[in-house]
Amino acid sequence: MSDALTVGTFNIKSFTYRPGRGHDFGPALHHISRCTPSPPDVFSLPEATHADLDGHQPMWAFTNALSDMLPDGESYLPFWAPVEGRGNPPLLLLNAGKIRVRRWFPPHCRSGLFRWGFVEAELPGVAGTTWISAVHWQGGQGRAVFEQHAAALAPYAAASTLLAGDFNATSSWAGEVQVDWPRQSIARGEQYKLLQKCRWSELAQDWVLDTRQIDLLRTTFGFWDAGERAGDPTVTTHEQGSSLRIDRIMASTAFPYSTLRDYRVFREEEDDDSAPLSDHRYVYAELGLAS
């Protein structure tokens, strides 16, 4: 068995759902197979919208189609995490051929403080528990809720933990691509986005990018970010003029697959005439056990 663990996150817009047309996974599956012919062992889909239609048929259709791309004898287990009042529930897919699931804590689960949205699992070649979660910090909820999201991860700082998804937030890492998000948002008439990515600075008397939540994970809580470790600041969104690196793969210092072997941010094909899958890009990492 390979000592590598592959991880991906791809915020496909609304899980390809379009009102009146339902889901069309064909273009997304094509893009994933073009980028990673064998899809990742841990795959986060942060906006699995309407995955529960008709007996969760969209979730199973996507899970089964992606499972067909795995090596023989391997398949995915899906973990969908809808939260009341939030429109974009994340879907976590785990390769059951490599990862043994112990327990799943869906959002309605009352067992264990801060556990909802996490899978308790065993990784190949590793003794003990690893906690895995697909992340979606919903921008429209504002920065105060982001502080709560970050604080809820505190109990996992000393445990073996893997996070992947859309954090809707950037960091103060010196390598990050810096943009004037406040001015650009105002210029586009999108003042509401100030509350999604920024905070008001009394010192500067101006709006500034809010990096505090990701920085809390990177510093006080000791999580490491795959893109930062790779020295790759490639932005993961492609909004006109205001792109940021907000789709992240992060792990705790206790996570055993701590050797970064590969990290990539994939763009959609430029000659594809169909509508773009998302304003987010597919982020992928290959991790190895520490020697």
Side-chain angles (χ1 to χ4, degrees):
M1 178 178 290
S2 171
D3 63 346
L5 185 77
T6 53
V7 185
T9 180
F10 189 15
N11 192 344
I12 305 168
K13 183 179 180 182
S14 301
F15 201 42
T16 78
Y17 177 80
R18 300 294 182 271
R21 290 184 291 170
H23 298 79
D24 177 11
F25 294 123
L29 292 167
H30 170 73
H31 180 60
I32 293 167
S33 64
R34 180 180 67 86
C35 299
T36 51
S38 181
D41 302 317
V42 177
F43 206 174
S44 172
L45 292 307
E47 293 191 8
T49 308
H50 297 298
D52 59 338
L53 294 179
D54 190 22
H56 287 83
Q57 188 275 335
M59 181 186 76
W60 287 111
F62 186 85
T63 299
N64 292 335
L66 210 63
S67 292
D68 289 341
M69 294 161 53
L70 290 171
D72 289 344
E74 298 181 3
S75 62
Y76 282 113
L77 288 175
F79 302 91
W80 189 60
V83 178
E84 186 175 354
R86 293 178 59 187
N88 297 312
L91 172 64
L92 175 66
L93 300 182
L94 298 180
N95 182 349
K98 291 187 176 182
I99 300 168
R100 181 181 180 184
V101 174
R102 288 182 173 179
R103 287 187 291 178
W104 158 235
F105 295 91
H108 62 269
C109 179
R110 297 182 180 181
S111 174
L113 184 64
F114 298 136
R115 287 182 179 175
W116 71 261
F118 274 91
V119 169
E120 182 183 5
E122 296 177 13
L123 300 182
V126 177
T129 293
T130 289
W131 297 93
I132 306 173
S133 184
V135 173
H136 185 261
W137 291 4
Q138 188 159 303
Q141 290 185 304
R143 311 310 294 182
V145 175
F146 281 24
E147 296 281 356
Q148 296 172 17
H149 286 320
L153 295 172
Y156 297 95
S160 174
T161 306
L162 178 65
L163 311 170
D166 176 9
F167 290 82
N168 262 307
T170 190
S171 79
S172 64
W173 170 44
E176 297 284 11
V177 175
Q178 300 298 320
V179 299
D180 191 346
W181 182 276
R183 300 287 80 73
Q184 292 170 1
S185 296
I186 293 171
R188 293 197 305 267
E190 296 176 338
Q191 284 85 345
Y192 67 94
K193 289 192 174 182
L194 296 174
L195 300 177
Q196 294 185 8
K197 301 286 192 294
C198 301
R199 64 180 176 86
W200 177 259
S201 169
E202 292 292 343
L203 180 63
Q205 285 295 293
D206 200 358
W207 291 95
V208 297
L209 273 173
D210 192 353
T211 67
R212 295 174 298 178
Q213 295 83 25
I214 299 297
D215 288 341
L216 182 63
L217 301 184
R218 293 170 56 247
T219 57
T220 304
F221 294 167
F223 285 84
W224 55 271
D225 174 272
E228 181 179 348
R229 181 164 287 189
D232 186 345
T234 303
V235 296
T236 64
T237 59
H238 46 90
E239 291 185 65
Q240 182 90 25
S242 292
S243 297
L244 296 170
R245 192 171 70 91
I246 62 177
D247 303 271
R248 298 171 180 268
I249 296 168
M250 303 188 75
S252 66
T253 53
F255 185 67
Y257 284 81
S258 57
T259 301
L260 183 63
R261 296 180 176 178
D262 193 10
Y263 174 83
R264 301 185 192 185
V265 179
F266 296 103
R267 300 171 184 267
E268 290 185 49
E269 294 173 294
E270 294 182 359
D271 59 351
D272 189 348
D273 293 331
S274 61
L277 294 169
S278 180
D279 59 348
H280 295 254
R281 295 185 172 123
Y282 175 19
V283 181
Y284 172 86
E286 180 181 331
L287 310 176
L289 287 169
S291 56

